[in-house]
Amino acid sequence: MKNTEQLRKPKPYQKKQAQGVLYNSRGLLLYILPLALIPAAFLSFVYGDFSKIITNVGGCVAFILAAVLLRRGIAAEKHYLDKKITRPPKWPLKTIASIIVAVTTGWIAWLGAGHSFFTSIAFGLGALGGMFLLYGFDPWQEKMVAGSHGYTTEEVSQTVDEAEAKIIGIEQANKQINNRSFNQRIRVICEHAGEIVDIIQDDPGDIRRARKFLNVYLDGALKVSEGYADMQRKHQSEELTENFDNVLQTIESVFIEQKQKLLEDDVLDLDVQIEVLAAQLKHEGVV
Amino acid sequence: MSKTLRSSIGLILLITTVSLASCQSMLQVISADKNDVSIVKQK
């Protein structure tokens, strides 16, 4: 193992995300702009004007619905942008939200504010244009890097998602382990696993072998981490700690090695290493 | 069209249409009540 790998402080694994306060606050405007409808609805009840009650309460509900859909659409778009390989969101939520906003604005302008029908349509079209200009359209194209060697977006995306879920699971189990040395080692393993996931996304050509490798090793790391965290709560055993240490060492060194092999397009002995780990996990009795 | 300009135009359009329609709807409710009160007073 390289010395630099040991000395560098590992960071907890995090999915790559389009971070930022501005990004997270996008879509909140739709909650603020129609706020005047709340006193309008309240006053309609006070004055007992049934048509205004329907118009204003209906408008409030529609704008809230649109805001919720818009925020979900923005989150789906963010997820799409974060990934190198992925499918477009299942539902065009931003477009649905834009249509709801346009129809509701026209409805409020016509029946609430008392504008003519055509002026109300202009209000609706203005709102629709504003929504598309401010929030854009939903992503609709599959994202796939060149040289996918016949693997579908679905296959690659599923592999990456599964691997990321396992890495997060290992991080969670790591939080329950009260041993600094193990914590550090597990973080290093997660960091290497994250880098391997990145390599797969950049070059999905070796996905079959990498998937097999990630499945067995990440599964192994997840099982032993969860198992150790659980056993540690019940009773401390020196033998168990030693076995856990051995398995972690193996996993860590193999991850570093395999990352290098993937980078060098040398995946010939991945299968052999997978069998070795499977045998070791059984032998050490930690899973 | 740059993204900032596009967003700015979109923001102005949304504010103009959505908030204006909402505020006018509220004013309409208030003014309708004032009209009712004045009619009662005239009677």
Side-chain angles (χ1 to χ4, degrees), chain A residues 181-239:
Chain A
S181 156
F182 289 164
N183 294 146
Q184 169 92 353
R185 189 158 278 159
I186 291 172
R187 272 199 289 272
V188 170
I189 289 171
C190 289
E191 204 177 311
H192 290 303
E195 283 166 12
I196 290 176
V197 170
D198 281 347
I199 295 170
I200 296 173
Q201 290 192 79
D202 286 335
D203 178 15
D206 295 323
I207 192 163
R208 190 192 68 79
R209 283 169 183 276
R211 181 163 54 191
K212 204 171 166 188
F213 168 76
L214 277 172
N215 276 344
V216 174
Y217 272 78
L218 280 178
D219 266 346
L222 182 62
K223 279 179 190 165
V224 291
S225 307
E226 284 175 344
Y228 183 77
D230 193 40
M231 292 294 281
Q232 181 196 244
R233 273 198 300 272
K234 290 172 189 163
H235 63 273
Q236 290 279 357
S237 152
E238 261 185 44
E239 194 194 353

Side-chain angles (χ1 to χ4, degrees), chain A residues 29 47 52 56 112 115 133, chain B residues 6-7 11 24-25 28 33:
Chain A
L29 193 70
Y47 302 145
K52 297 285 183 201
N56 292 314
H115 286 292
L133 286 173
Chain B
R6 205 178 58 195
S7 299
L11 183 65
Q24 284 182 331
S25 182
Q28 192 78 4
D33 180 64

